[in-house]
Amino acid sequence: MLNRDHEAIMLQEVGGVSGLSDLLKSNLDRGVSSNEDELLQRRDIFGANTYPRKKRKSIWRFVFEACQDLTLVILMVAAAISLSLGMATEGVKDGWYDGGSIFFAVFLVIFVTATSDYRQSLQFQHLNEEKQNIQVEVIRGGKRVGASIFDLVVGDVVPLKIGDQVPADGVLISGHSLAIDESSMTGESKIVHKDQKAPMLMSGCKVADGYGSMLVTGVGTNTEWGTLMANLSEDIGEETPLQVRLNGVATLIGIVGLSVAGVVLVVLWIRYFTGHSNNPDGTTAFVAGTTGAKQGFMGAISIFTVAVTIVVVAVPEGLPLAVTLTLAYSMRKMMRDKALVRRLSSCETMGSATTICSDKTGTLTLNKMTVVEAYLSGTKLNPCDNTGMMFSSVASLLVEGIAQNTAGAVFSPEDGGAAEVAGSPTEKAILSWGLEIGMNFTDVRSKSSVLRVLPFNSVKKRGGVAVQSDAYVHIHWKGAAELVLASCKSWFSVDGSVHPMSSDKYNELKRFIDDMSMSSLRCIAFAYCTCELSMVPREDLDKWQLPEENLTLLGMVGIKDPCRPGVRDAVQLCSAAGVKVRMVTGDNVETAKAIAFECGILNAKDAASETIIIEGKVFREMSETAREEVADKITVMARSSPNDKLLLVQALKRKGHVVAVTGDGTNDAPALHEADIGLSMGISGTEVAKESSDIIILDDDFTSVVKVVRWGRSVYANIQKFIQFQLTVNVAALVINVVAAVSSGAVPLNAVELLWVNLIMDTLGALALATEPPTDNLMKRHPVGRREPLVTNIMWRNLFIQALYQITVLLVFNFDGKRIFHLHNESRECADKMKNTFVFNAFVFCQIFNEFNARKPEEKNVLRGVTSNRLFMGIVGITTVLQILIIEFLGKFFGTVRLGWKLWLLSVAIGAVSWPLAYVGKSIPVPARPFQDYLKHCCAWRRPRRRDEEQGGKS
């Protein structure tokens, strides 16, 4: 209630935040107890930090949606007419087979489609829940611990820092320069500053600046955010660019199929009603004036059913389904590879990435920092915690600066165990070193009070704090060593005396910084100055600009952050795959260069080439044209700000690159949003960065980024495999039926058989080929261009060879099957059934074997690694078993007869020939220019010619 009405008066009535804490039986310093029973009791009383989800669609909803497919509806209507007329003319016992078989096949297609869609929706819902499961820091029992946002309870004390999402409604306990972006709740893009006069915090808002801590007062549906989220439906129906593109391809193919089916329908009806079609026993199917109306209508409906089924086969519903399947499969597998996909389209785009702009800290390095070198009182310490020779006053100033100028914390257990340090990796390293040199964190902080805090600024590369100690105010600065050093006018010696910063001393200190940098150490300097209390403004402390010049240097440290294992190999893999890795870091040039050499981003050849190592400031001051010219050559950008990263991304995109960017800070959000693929860090990343990104790297590891590239390429490759497979079936089925219909008036593949083929090539084919795992060969190719055609020349070659083979062989058996199988002594009906059954069986086995070919469009050995994909082998096995059942036991439903073992072997052999055919076919070279370009060129060549002829005619 407090937060919903923003009633600060009510808060004061209960004794302020301290009184409210007592009412909630919490402690502002130690939080609530970590005892599970107490936490459970708080959830029972105040509610959980969750909100009711919209009820997900049931499987029956998906069945209903699958039933709305127009071609299936037409087939069901035709089946109903066929069923009723068949039972009326032939009786219930024999008349239900044709219509009933079509119904069964249609319902099977509907069931498989609905089940597949339902499973994908469950997977997407699970991934959506993972995205919402934000990890937060909470103080329980005096200790900072990580917890899920869903586990927060009323009374919890939650630390907040820049980039965090406010996890629940609450009241500010204390804060420094705390600014909240409440646009997600109020709709106004206004940053609201929070202090004791305006302490209310709303769930779902973002911390724009500063840091502080809050007391949780409302969770779940008792917050405005929870109420809002409970009324929103989760949209998991995002359509990716590739799906849109494939929908267009499917529509185009469907139009062609519809046209062909229309031609077949007209031809068959003309042949039927003019007496040129025969019954299975050889008699004329329709004789004008003799054949009854009911029988004639039944024959016309049977022909119409075949035409509609041709449309069902021709319309490749499996194309969009294949994208959905491969995206769902890839997203699930990418979760195991520590990558959480927030936007589906990024899966596809990542496969086209030509460059990755990566952060250094935590991505290329382990983000486990330790102080390994220190330079205090004009002397290098050996070891780095040997501060015995330091004057006590200097040591106390240094310790005060470490303890007060930090967003981290030190927890000392009551049992006297080792102190636990919390904060960012850099803060933890400095605080740990402070403990090693004798700092008592709690004691030091209690001796002085904080007046003003300037959190670390990524542009100025420093952070400051003003603390009052007795009659003086100490202003401590901490940040990038060479920048802090440039602001220093004096330094402390061993005896505690202050000396002016001479040019010799400055150069000595600068050399020390360079030496540390060349050893790939991050250099941090500590400096301070004093200020009289009278100089501090009494009001509006938040607007007080702390003095940044005329500082006295206290000391410098070198922090080691080792490269992650496997990063060098991952960078080399990217180079081989045509993806250039660029390092963008806030460290100085020498540190950045040393880390780049260590990670393999730079090598000896780069030193002599045109590769550029540039500072962010230099790049920023260039003109837009100059930035574009130099962007391609940049490999390392040092001392960069988030805005420099954004400028680099924009320049690279204008040069035609597909850019992936990693980022973890709030200020990285614009670059993450601008990039083609934004990759935020799951551990060190702020919520603002995560929301601006497309993919969250859960372990902050660069090798996981490379795995995302690999999966992105796999998505595109799997779609191409399925397109090749489906187009081959489409072309073969259409041509065989059209040629047979036009020449003989009958089609070898009936409606039920074509529906089974449709199921094989659409749902089962998509499931088999869209779930192929990525191979090493994917990272040996160059990225796929944005406008590169989906169907490559290699795919056209494979498609034409396989389709031509299937059409030729099956049409030979269709027209000359009786002679080949020695069926002259059989009745016409029996001979036709045997021949058509064989053509159907051989056609299905051609598709089964062609699935293996589609797995490896460019490789001759199509069986390599096939056993590693158990799902593929399972689907092929199930398809084969079902085909045997159809021929041997379900003949009445499918209009087939049993085949002898010799014809079975021949069917399998015809299918198996596609393997050596594919092996030979892949030796045929293909032109580099896409086949589609030749068609465009032909059209472009003809048009001017016609125009010239017309002009000639006029003259």
Side-chain angles (χ1 to χ4, degrees), residues 788-803:
E788 201 164 306
L790 273 173
V791 186
T792 64
N793 284 359
I794 289 172
M795 292 165 66
W796 282 119
R797 178 197 64 194
N798 299 343
L799 187 157
F800 284 134
I801 290 171
Q802 293 296 329

Side-chain angles (χ1 to χ4, degrees), residues 47 81 98 104 220 242 256 290 298 341 366 419 433 436 479 509 537 558 602 683 732 791 806 863 896 926 936 945:
I81 296 170
D98 289 343
F104 173 75
L242 189 55
V256 173
T290 304
M298 186 72 176
V341 177
L366 282 169
W433 178 69
E436 290 174 9
L509 294 169
L602 287 176
I683 299 172
V791 186
Q806 291 179 24
L863 298 178
T896 59
V926 295
K936 289 178 185 176
R945 189 176 177 185

Side-chain angles (χ1 to χ4, degrees), residues 330-374:
S330 300
M331 287 169 72
R332 191 172 69 251
K333 293 292 186 182
M334 284 165 74
M335 274 289 287
R336 294 180 188 176
D337 283 341
K338 305 299 181 185
L340 172 62
V341 177
R342 296 188 72 254
R343 293 184 181 86
L344 280 178
S345 56
S346 60
C347 287
E348 304 162 8
T349 314
M350 199 63 190
S352 301
T354 57
T355 185
I356 301 172
C357 298
S358 174
D359 284 343
K360 176 188 78 71
T361 306
T363 308
L364 296 169
T365 60
L366 282 169
N367 215 10
K368 293 180 180 177
M369 302 190 184
T370 50
V371 173
V372 294
E373 289 191 25

Side-chain angles (χ1 to χ4, degrees), residues 562-870:
C563 276
R564 286 183 179 272
V567 160
R568 193 176 186 87
D569 292 338
V571 170
Q572 288 174 353
L573 192 63
C574 282
S575 298
V579 181
K580 184 175 177 64
V581 180
R582 306 169 200 271
M583 188 171 82
V584 183
T585 177
D587 287 330
N588 67 31
V589 172
E590 294 302 327
T591 303
K593 193 188 296 185
I595 289 288
F597 274 111
E598 198 174 333
C599 294
I601 294 172
L602 287 176
N603 53 47
K605 292 179 183 176
D606 293 325
S609 67
E610 292 187 350
T611 300
I612 290 180
I613 301 165
I614 196 170
E615 282 197 347
K617 183 183 178 183
V618 177
F619 185 72
R620 191 187 320 144
E621 291 171 352
M622 290 180 175
S623 66
E624 189 174 300
T625 307
R627 282 199 294 267
E628 276 186 47
E629 289 176 2
V630 82
D632 257 339
K633 301 172 185 176
I634 293 175
T635 303
V636 176
M637 183 180 282
R639 282 287 175 244
S640 67
S641 68
N643 189 54
D644 299 330
K645 186 189 287 187
L646 175 62
L647 292 173
L648 178 62
V649 170
Q650 290 171 338
L652 288 169
K653 284 182 73 176
R654 285 194 294 270
K655 292 286 284 183
H657 285 282
V658 178
V659 186
V661 167
T662 69
D664 53 13
T666 300
N667 292 336
D668 287 328
L672 289 169
H673 182 75
E674 177 70 22
D676 295 289
I677 315 101
L679 302 154
S680 63
M681 300 297 113
I683 299 172
S684 61
T686 64
E687 285 308 311
V688 173
K690 289 174 186 175
E691 286 198 4
S692 299
S693 66
D694 304 298
I695 297 172
I696 300 172
I697 305 300
L698 298 175
D699 60 356
D700 291 15
D701 195 340
F702 184 77
T703 55
S704 298
V705 176
V706 180
K707 288 175 185 174
V708 172
V709 175
R710 187 180 162 106
W711 277 110
R713 293 188 175 194
S714 178
V715 167
Y716 201 85
N718 285 350
I719 298 304
Q720 287 186 314
K721 293 171 187 177
F722 180 69
I723 290 173
Q724 178 182 308
F725 171 68
Q726 182 155 59
L727 288 182
T728 306
V729 185
N730 277 352
V731 171
L734 283 175
V735 173
I736 289 168
N737 273 313
V738 169
V739 172
V742 172
S743 59
S744 64
V747 289
L749 302 174
N750 63 38
V752 184
E753 290 169 347
L754 284 173
L755 282 170
W756 168 234
V757 170
N758 180 67
L759 191 65
I760 293 174
M761 76 176 191
D762 272 356
T763 307
L764 296 179
L767 199 59
L769 292 170
T771 54
E772 275 284 306
T775 61
D776 293 336
N777 283 338
L778 288 173
M779 296 302 284
K780 294 176 183 175
R781 307 175 188 169
H782 281 277
V784 178
R786 288 178 190 269
R787 293 175 184 167
E788 201 164 306
L790 273 173
V791 186
T792 64
N793 284 359
I794 289 172
M795 292 165 66
W796 282 119
R797 178 197 64 194
N798 299 343
L799 187 157
F800 284 134
I801 290 171
Q802 293 296 329
L804 185 62
Y805 163 71
Q806 291 179 24
I807 291 165
T808 304
V809 171
L810 296 179
L811 282 179
V812 166
F813 280 104
N814 181 63
F815 291 119
D816 206 20
K818 292 180 184 178
R819 184 186 63 80
I820 295 171
F821 299 140
H822 306 293
L823 299 174
H824 298 294
N825 297 327
E826 303 288 340
S827 65
R828 177 167 179 171
E829 182 178 1
C830 182
D832 282 343
K833 272 196 172 184
M834 180 66 74
K835 175 203 67 173
N836 289 344
T837 300
F838 176 81
V839 170
F840 166 58
N841 200 41
F843 182 75
V844 169
F845 275 100
C846 280
Q847 309 325 317
I848 291 172
F849 281 94
N850 195 35
E851 271 188 280
F852 288 87
N853 295 332
R855 282 185 67 249
K856 306 282 184 183
E858 297 179 23
E859 293 182 38
K860 291 185 177 181
N861 184 1
V862 296
L863 298 178
R864 181 184 295 165
V866 71
T867 53
S868 62
N869 189 347
R870 293 178 183 176

